[in-house]
Amino acid sequence: MLIFSRKLNAQQIPAGQEETPKIGKSIFSNEVKRNFSRKGNFFVHWGYNHSWYNKSDINFKGPGYNFTLRDVVAHDRQTELTWKYLKPSELTIPQFNFHFGYFIKDNYSISIGWDHMKYVMDIPQTVKIDGYIDPTVSNPGIPTGPYAGKYNGQMLTVNPDMLRFEHTDGLNYASVEIERHDDIWVPRSQQTSLTMETGIGVGAVIPRSEVYLFNVGENNYWNLAGYGVSAKLGFKFYVTKGLYLQNSNKVGWINLTRIHTTGRNEYDSASQKITYLENYLVLGYQF
């Protein structure tokens, strides 16, 4: 009986044939299906981004002051891409995206990444202000000149002698993301394909903020300033089974609870919540 059972099992999978790979279901109706699974594959990609920021409130707090600037306008800061940024020492200067991930199923992956964005408050600009500013603030004291006073929604023009505020080295979002991959098009050759990627993420925000408040400040060191959540949608074109080009859009919300400002971190700080839209183009490889 044991010998008969072994012979029966051997006949279940014909010699020279492998078990059909488990391919994840796609929300698209594809005439041709892949004949291989991505489960167990790793991937890595690198590229550059462009970001847009919604208006946000920024609160500044310290000895002698506690005020909030309302609906502040800011933009990113694009770096003109040249061949010099291929040098390892220059590679991280532009706004870049880096991700490394693993396919836990054929159409699901998990990744860790670093989105290096840049945020620059427009100066000068006129905004509403609430709170108070004493004639001298911080420790040791910094004179505030014509900006001293109590405010309740008045319009104030913020000039460079009052504030310079930017996260340009940068607004760094270190995240863990879960992605779903849906095949849109697969040719009969199976060598190329087009895939839609959707995903959600959560992570820490580690900015390097350059802030000058009433002409006192510095380009601060990186610090864990808050956290963020995000969602993304993009399209990935596989040039080969491994090499791909991807363009994606990401929307996110960031809560920065402790931003370094004057460099006197035991006294002075700022906080803000930022919503953003990010578009990035990356070149990657799956293996």
Side-chain angles (χ1 to χ4, degrees):
M1 292 294 293
L2 179 60
I3 294 174
F4 177 79
S5 176
R6 287 178 176 174
K7 287 183 178 179
L8 182 62
N9 290 337
Q11 292 175 357
Q12 291 177 354
I13 302 176
Q17 293 187 15
E18 297 181 356
E19 185 179 357
T20 302
K22 294 181 179 179
I23 308 301
K25 293 182 179 179
S26 174
I27 63 174
F28 302 96
S29 298
N30 302 313
E31 180 182 353
V32 179
K33 310 293 183 182
R34 279 185 290 112
N35 57 11
F36 61 92
S37 174
R38 296 190 176 102
K39 181 180 179 180
N41 287 359
F42 291 90
F43 64 89
V44 62
H45 64 232
W46 174 278
Y48 299 100
N49 68 67
H50 191 107
S51 301
W52 297 265
Y53 303 103
N54 198 7
K55 294 179 180 179
S56 66
D57 298 344
I58 309 176
N59 175 257
F60 295 86
K61 184 184 295 185
Y65 68 100
N66 187 344
F67 66 92
T68 301
L69 304 179
R70 305 288 184 187
D71 293 332
V72 170
V73 177
H75 295 87
D76 69 353
R77 177 176 290 168
Q78 290 295 314
T79 302
E80 184 179 355
L81 298 179
T82 62
W83 291 111
K84 75 174 185 177
Y85 293 117
L86 293 179
K87 298 179 182 178
S89 60
E90 307 283 345
L91 197 63
T92 60
I93 291 178
Q95 299 181 175
F96 70 85
N97 290 67
F98 169 78
H99 266 257
F100 177 80
Y102 175 76
F103 279 87
I104 55 178
K105 296 180 66 175
D106 172 69
N107 60 336
Y108 283 93
S109 62
I110 185 168
S111 66
I112 57 174
W114 187 274
D115 293 17
H116 177 75
M117 300 174 282
K118 297 184 180 183
Y119 176 101
V120 182
M121 176 182 171
D122 291 2
I123 300 291
Q125 68 172 285
T126 301
V127 296
K128 288 184 179 180
I129 180 172
D130 293 304
Y132 67 91
I133 302 173
D134 289 348
T136 302
V137 299
S138 190
N139 185 17
I142 306 169
T144 59
Y147 297 103
K150 293 184 178 180
Y151 299 94
N152 186 22
Q154 294 96 323
M155 301 303 294
L156 175 73
T157 299
V158 180
N159 288 303
D161 61 338
M162 178 187 179
L163 180 65
R164 175 182 172 184
F165 186 87
E166 53 188 63
H167 312 294
T168 46
D169 200 20
L171 186 62
N172 300 305
Y173 176 47
S175 63
V176 177
E177 298 184 339
I178 297 176
E179 299 97 359
R180 176 186 166 97
H181 308 263
D182 287 279
D183 289 344
I184 299 174
W185 169 76
V186 180
R188 297 190 184 280
S189 68
Q190 304 280 327
Q191 296 302 307
T192 63
S193 61
L194 178 64
T195 300
M196 184 179 77
E197 179 189 273
T198 53
I200 56 175
V202 61
V205 184
I206 310 167
R208 184 171 185 178
S209 306
E210 187 165 358
V211 182
Y212 291 85
L213 185 63
F214 305 112
N215 291 314
V216 174
E218 64 181 20
N219 186 8
N220 294 274
Y221 286 107
W222 295 273
N223 74 298
L224 179 59
Y227 59 92
V229 293
S230 59
K232 63 182 178 181
L233 183 150
F235 298 92
K236 180 184 296 185
F237 178 70
Y238 284 89
V239 181
T240 67
K241 283 187 177 181
L243 184 67
Y244 64 85
L245 186 67
Q246 179 176 340
N247 182 258
S248 295
N249 289 303
K250 180 182 290 186
V251 293
W253 177 82
I254 287 172
N255 185 12
L256 300 177
T257 59
R258 188 163 182 82
I259 302 167
H260 289 172
T261 56
T262 61
R264 304 166 179 180
N265 300 326
E266 67 274 30
Y267 298 113
D268 303 319
S269 67
S271 61
Q272 71 176 142
K273 297 175 181 178
I274 302 172
T275 56
Y276 67 90
L277 171 65
E278 176 191 5
N279 176 266
Y280 58 91
L281 180 67
V282 295
L283 182 67
Y285 193 78
Q286 181 179 308
F287 54 96

